Amino acid sequence: MQKLIRIEPSKCIGCKTCEMACSFKHTGEFMPSRSRIFNEVFLDEAKFITVTCMQCDDPWCVKACPKSAISKEMPSGVVIVDRDRCVGCRTCVSACPFGMIKYVPTLGKVDKCDLCGGDTPECVSFCPTGCLTLEEEDTPLRQKVLRFVNAMKDGQMEA
Amino acid sequence: MSRFDLKGWSGKLLRVDLTAGTCTDEVLNEQWAKEYLGGRGLGTKYFTEEVAADVDPFSAENKLILATGPLTGTYGAANGRYMVITKSPLTGTIASSNSGGYFPCELRYAGYDMVIFEGKAEHPSYLQIHNNKAQLMGAVHLWGKSTQDTEDLILAEFHGDAKVAAIGPAGENQVSFAAIINDKHRAAGRTGIGAVMGSKNLKAIAVRGTGGVKIADPAAYREAAIEAYGMLKQNPVSGQGLPALGTPVLVNVINQLGALPTNNFQKDTFDGAEAISGETLASTYLKRNKGCMGCIIGCGRVTGLAGARFSGDGEGPEYETLFALGSACGVDDLAAITKANYICNEYGMDTISVGATVACAMELAEKGLVSEQEIGMPLSFGDADALVKLVEMAGQREGFGEKLAMGSYRLADSFGAPELSMSVKKLEFPAYDGRGIQGIGLNYATSNRGACHVRGYMISPEVLGLPEKLDPQATADKAVWTKIFQDFTATVDSSGVCLFTTFAIGAPQFANFCTAATGAEFTEETIMEIGERVYNMERVFNLKAGVDPSQDKLPKRILEEPISDGPLKGEVNKLDQMLPEYYQERGWSAEGIPTDERLQTLGLA
């Protein structure tokens, strides 16, 4: 199975360390605007939501690219931009429904999460709460199912 | 034009002349940056070079400086802090007040290390900064608004991703303990910096930045961060206590020790401690834990009230607030304390000073020194509803709030009982009684901004046993430890990193961070020397401002009235046994004046 960055929002504290770590690794600067992972803070609702590229099975960006610069590598399943082929036309930026691929003016190319090319992703390494993990198994999903079935179990015990 | 070649710092400051309405970029002074780092140190250096010590805090000649450090906006420990520097209207001393969140980092990403405000705007104004460009905007439509509403309105008209620091009505009304609130709920709280901002007709600063913080040696910086993360995670305070319960973890700890000031320091144990503890907060109003940007600890507590009496949302209460609005006032109603905390954030007020001032008023009322008519309501310790009302009246300067807005010293003095103000240099005490914990008492007496725990947190060795355990009742060695804590704190406050990291990491780690980030050479020794330089610079300013060494004192109650209850019953602070040794450790004269030799050694003369 494909390893993906798994995100458990309940553990997030909104510190944006993932954005800092990502941009620092890939640009040499602490520059959240260049991060490939997004930690959004909703102060009023006390919600912290983190999103990044989920390396789609059938990616919009791959289909949209007129220069065949984007491909889904196997067996890793990572969706990769070939910078030599990318002409910076931004078609993929329009195509991705999630906004997870972006054009970088200083490069003249697009940029997206590549799971740090086989290393443990830097965001996962530096996440202080374990909100981010790199796993084959979708543990956060399993935890949600367990919470649900436990509520069901408790409900039945009352009856 | 001078050059700035180091990394870490942006190398640029923004000077805003509010009188002329102009914004000008300046190259940061590289020599000063190396000698004073940033934040509290560098901000105070610029301030003391540019502003006369006898300046009236509310005059156009006073300046207000917002200063980040070279580590602000990076990772590694808890790197989301900035410092506000001015002359305090509350204490008449140098004022510097620290806050964390997203705003300080955004200022770095927008390209600036510091912003210096000078003069006074003719009309209410706010500053917009967008990637190296700044302009002053009208703020008549924001005047009178809460800090939260101000932020929402600015986001709607400027940029949805901007970060905002603002004053509320308390700052506009020049309440002497008004704060500056950033990111809606984080306070640069103490010493009345918000009142200075209000006096300049400056409502808010809004920043949007998409640039980066450049690092001289990225690989070395990453290594330093990994080392620091390990130490922070393994430390019982930064790795367990603070993440689990936030600062309110201390309510039960300090109460059990017998040093939780209650009823304006008339008692040191509080029967209602459990009801206002971090454990109780976690099981009642806590919505979730939160960190500032780049923080590994995450001590922030997002809370909400949905009761019939009180409702609202926000952050806090912190431990200090649970003392000031809680035990100090004899109030054990956690919903009322939390509500009063929200009001402080909305109006932009220091929870410690406002709570301690209400506690002082309660004792004045108890002793019959102020009448029910004067206050406008009956007032006694434990009255939660009166507390909530008085906090709001202080922010509005309405009725008796006019008196409260002066702070506890001027309040008590106006009723002929200044000794009932639990303060040093007119700054109200925080949440640890210096009678039972000798070293923190020495720190309160000698802190450059008055009674403050975060200028030399002696609680760390005396109570928490970090880096090693000292006997809280002993006076031996407290002078040397207080000096070390005060100096190191001054460096940390200048770096852009949160003081809470120092439970786990020390001068060697800060030397690694600063060297790797900037490319300049820092050692354990120079890190400590920077702190000592900053501390002495502040002291020299205070002396010039007329705050002489006779003000290195504690209230009569702390020196002469023994603790009346609990495990530390009978204790008083023995300041006279520690102060001469402290002056000696500092290399000051027996009268508490920094000697020329010392100042020369530190590059201050």
Side-chain angles (χ1 to χ4, degrees), chain B residues 8-323:
Chain B
W9 294 279
S10 308
K12 196 167 69 173
L13 69 85
L14 176 67
R15 188 177 294 276
V16 181
D17 183 335
L18 292 163
T19 308
T22 56
C23 301
T24 318
D25 286 0
E26 277 178 31
V27 177
L28 202 66
N29 185 313
E30 189 173 290
Q31 188 59 36
W32 290 357
K34 283 192 274 191
E35 288 171 3
Y36 298 89
L37 273 185
R40 178 175 157 194
L42 192 59
T44 307
K45 176 64 179 173
Y46 272 91
F47 187 84
T48 55
E49 289 285 337
E50 296 184 9
V51 182
D54 62 357
V55 72
D56 172 355
F58 286 143
S59 69
E61 286 71 38
N62 194 11
K63 297 190 184 186
L64 182 79
I65 300 181
L66 278 56
T68 65
L71 306 182
T72 305
T74 71
Y75 67 30
N79 303 24
R81 312 296 299 191
Y82 86 119
M83 190 66 83
V84 183
I85 297 100
T86 189
K87 184 176 175 183
S88 167
L90 181 65
T91 64
T93 66
I94 190 80
S96 54
S97 199
N98 189 288
S99 181
Y102 305 102
F103 172 82
C105 303
E106 198 77 8
L107 197 54
R108 300 293 320 275
Y109 305 143
Y112 295 103
D113 294 306
M114 302 203 315
V115 184
I116 300 178
F117 291 99
E118 50 195 42
K120 177 183 174 170
E122 193 177 348
H123 304 292
S125 305
Y126 80 98
L127 181 70
Q128 281 184 357
I129 304 174
H130 195 168
N131 282 340
N132 299 303
K133 287 202 177 70
Q135 58 178 340
L136 284 163
M137 308 293 292
V140 174
H141 61 303
L142 304 173
W143 211 249
K145 296 270 191 284
S146 74
T147 56
Q148 288 84 5
D149 289 348
T150 299
E151 175 158 339
D152 285 338
L153 288 162
I154 290 176
L155 294 192
E157 71 185 33
F158 169 40
H159 194 296
D161 287 327
K163 309 300 176 208
V164 176
I167 55 167
E172 297 168 12
N173 295 333
Q174 296 176 26
V175 170
S176 65
F177 41 74
I180 299 173
I181 305 284
N182 58 280
D183 301 295
K184 289 194 170 177
H185 310 290
R186 309 295 310 182
R190 304 221 72 190
T191 61
I193 56 166
V196 173
M197 187 159 149
S199 77
K200 296 193 172 303
N201 266 331
L202 178 65
K203 178 66 179 174
I205 301 102
V207 195
R208 173 61 183 154
T210 56
V213 175
K214 294 183 174 64
I215 297 295
D217 186 343
Y221 197 83
R222 187 176 183 276
E223 282 307 307
I226 289 168
E227 185 201 23
Y229 271 13
M231 295 168 79
L232 287 156
K233 277 284 175 205
Q234 280 159 25
N235 183 274
V237 178
S238 60
Q240 292 162 29
L242 288 171
L245 292 170
T247 56
V249 69
L250 285 167
V251 174
N252 280 331
V253 174
I254 303 298
N255 188 53
Q256 279 154 22
L257 179 73
L260 178 63
T262 301
N263 291 6
N264 202 33
F265 290 70
Q266 296 183 84
K267 289 173 63 196
D268 261 1
T269 60
F270 183 44
D271 293 340
E274 187 59 42
I276 65 167
S277 67
E279 290 80 354
T280 303
L281 183 70
S283 65
T284 51
Y285 309 120
L286 179 69
K287 283 160 80 175
R288 71 182 300 159
N289 300 345
K290 180 171 172 289
C292 294
M293 194 162 175
C295 177
I296 189 176
I297 301 170
C299 72
R301 304 291 108 163
V302 182
T303 55
L305 293 171
R309 287 169 66 217
F310 303 116
S311 62
D313 299 287
E315 283 183 43
E318 299 273 346
Y319 170 62
E320 293 297 328
T321 306
L322 290 160
F323 140 78

Side-chain angles (χ1 to χ4, degrees), chain A residues 115-135:
Chain A
L115 295 181
C116 287
D119 301 333
T120 300
E122 196 76 346
C123 56
V124 173
S125 295
F126 279 83
C127 176
T129 64
C131 165
L132 304 178
T133 51
L134 182 76
E135 289 178 276

Side-chain angles (χ1 to χ4, degrees), chain A:
Chain A
M1 259 172 74
Q2 189 179 344
K3 277 192 177 180
L4 285 174
I5 295 172
R6 308 292 179 179
I7 300 164
E8 197 169 336
S10 64
K11 288 186 179 169
C12 181
I13 56 170
C15 68
K16 292 180 176 277
T17 301
C18 50
E19 294 187 359
M20 289 179 163
C22 176
S23 59
F24 188 43
K25 169 155 183 159
H26 299 293
T27 72
E29 294 183 36
F30 289 96
M31 186 162 33
S33 66
R34 281 291 309 275
S35 177
R36 302 160 171 182
I37 186 165
F38 303 84
N39 177 218
E40 292 298 321
V41 174
F42 297 87
L43 283 179
D44 294 337
E45 297 95 332
K47 301 268 188 214
F48 311 126
I49 305 297
T50 307
V51 290
T52 186
C53 174
M54 282 287 118
Q55 321 294 342
C56 300
D57 287 348
D58 190 11
W60 279 269
C61 58
V62 171
K63 283 188 281 189
C65 181
K67 300 297 287 182
S68 301
I70 312 176
S71 58
K72 187 168 173 75
E73 301 277 297
M74 295 312 281
S76 72
V78 179
V79 178
I80 303 221
V81 179
D82 181 343
R83 290 245 171 105
D84 292 335
R85 289 187 172 194
C86 174
V87 296
C89 72
R90 304 171 173 90
T91 310
C92 55
V93 177
S94 300
C96 175
F98 311 109
M100 290 300 117
I101 188 162
K102 67 181 158 197
Y103 175 75
V104 180
T106 50
L107 299 174
K109 313 274 179 188
V110 294
D111 190 55
K112 70 176 289 298
C113 174
D114 62 358
L115 295 181
C116 287
D119 301 333
T120 300
E122 196 76 346
C123 56
V124 173
S125 295
F126 279 83
C127 176
T129 64
C131 165
L132 304 178
T133 51
L134 182 76
E135 289 178 276
E136 280 188 13
E137 190 182 340
D138 193 342
T139 308
L141 177 68
R142 181 67 188 144
Q143 292 302 325
K144 277 199 272 193
V145 171
L146 284 176
R147 273 198 295 278
F148 181 38
V149 296
N150 274 306
M152 285 288 279
K153 180 178 67 123
D154 293 347
Q156 285 186 357
M157 306 263 287
E158 270 173 28

